Amino acid sequence: MTIRIGAHVDQADPVAEAVARGTTLVQHFLGDPQSYKGPEVRYPGGAAALRAAAEEAGVDLYVHAPYIVNVASTNNRIRIPSRKLLQQHMDAAAEIGAKGLIVHGGHVTAGDDPGKGFDNWRKAVEATDIKVPLLIENTAGGDHAMARRLIRIEGLWAAVQAADGAEQVGFCLDTCHAWAGGIPLTEVVERVHAITGRIDLVHANDSRDGFDSGADRHTSFGAGQLDPDELAAVVRDAGAPVICETPGGPEEHRADAAWLAERLA
């Protein structure tokens, strides 16, 4: 099985960015990842033009939802705008023909019952018109995160599976987040598969910081603290398309892809 390796790229022209990296798989934002303003297609000609260009070039697009989306929150002033923003990005992702929309698991606050966050996720899935696969990503930090520890991922997944629309929800496994979140790479694929039954996308990243540090700091392959063989094994065992969210432009991403491909051979 050949595993496709792509990268997170600038959103202005993701098709050209894919070509520059010699890949047919890229991830990008739609608008400002730190804003509630809503999605923005910056490609000339808008969503229809980007969809047509991607189809013509044979490039698969994935959209990463804004970082501020937190549908687990018990705070109405965060949860309600987050749900709205998630739907807006879902609609925009569908318009450009994206293969999936990636969203972080979010968190509750100290003193909150994690079960409230899980149930808020169930409600969010049921409230969202899911037009392309919604891929929940494990996260690196936070004692009250919904998708850092395996036990929380288990609770989150059980709640999501109880929702109408659950068949459209998948999982995105981030290697840096797993390591920094305290999940050994040697067991993460097996454990996540046991919980979710699926891994739909891999975010392959090295980590600048130590195991269970809670620090979400990506770095290029071989420049961080992840064991190269363990990282490659995660990608191989997951068997899903790969997005490298590593630093740099086309040259650096080509080098990262070659580094990984060599270890997968």
Side-chain angles (χ1 to χ4, degrees), residues 129-166:
D129 181 8
I130 302 179
K131 301 175 179 178
V132 304
L134 179 64
L135 308 182
I136 302 174
E137 179 181 356
N138 64 303
T139 50
D143 292 335
H144 310 288
M146 297 289 96
R148 175 183 179 178
R149 308 291 188 191
L150 287 165
I151 191 170
R152 292 284 176 82
I153 294 173
E154 188 172 0
L156 168 58
W157 200 256
V160 165
Q161 290 306 296
D164 291 335

Side-chain angles (χ1 to χ4, degrees), residues 55-77:
E55 288 176 353
E56 183 178 354
V59 172
D60 286 349
L61 305 175
Y62 284 82
V63 174
H64 199 302
Y67 297 130
I68 57 174
V69 169
N70 182 10
V71 299
S73 177
T74 58
N75 184 334
N76 290 344
R77 289 177 291 178

Side-chain angles (χ1 to χ4, degrees), residues 110-192:
D112 284 333
D113 176 0
K116 297 277 191 182
F118 300 149
D119 198 50
N120 282 340
W121 253 110
R122 178 190 62 79
K123 292 174 182 176
V125 170
E126 294 189 339
T128 304
D129 181 8
I130 302 179
K131 301 175 179 178
V132 304
L134 179 64
L135 308 182
I136 302 174
E137 179 181 356
N138 64 303
T139 50
D143 292 335
H144 310 288
M146 297 289 96
R148 175 183 179 178
R149 308 291 188 191
L150 287 165
I151 191 170
R152 292 284 176 82
I153 294 173
E154 188 172 0
L156 168 58
W157 200 256
V160 165
Q161 290 306 296
D164 291 335
E167 67 281 355
Q168 279 283 77
V169 180
F171 195 83
C172 174
L173 174 61
D174 188 301
T175 59
C176 170
H177 295 179
W179 166 265
I183 307 174
L185 295 187
T186 51
E187 61 183 62
V188 66
V189 172
E190 181 180 2
R191 298 290 296 276
V192 169

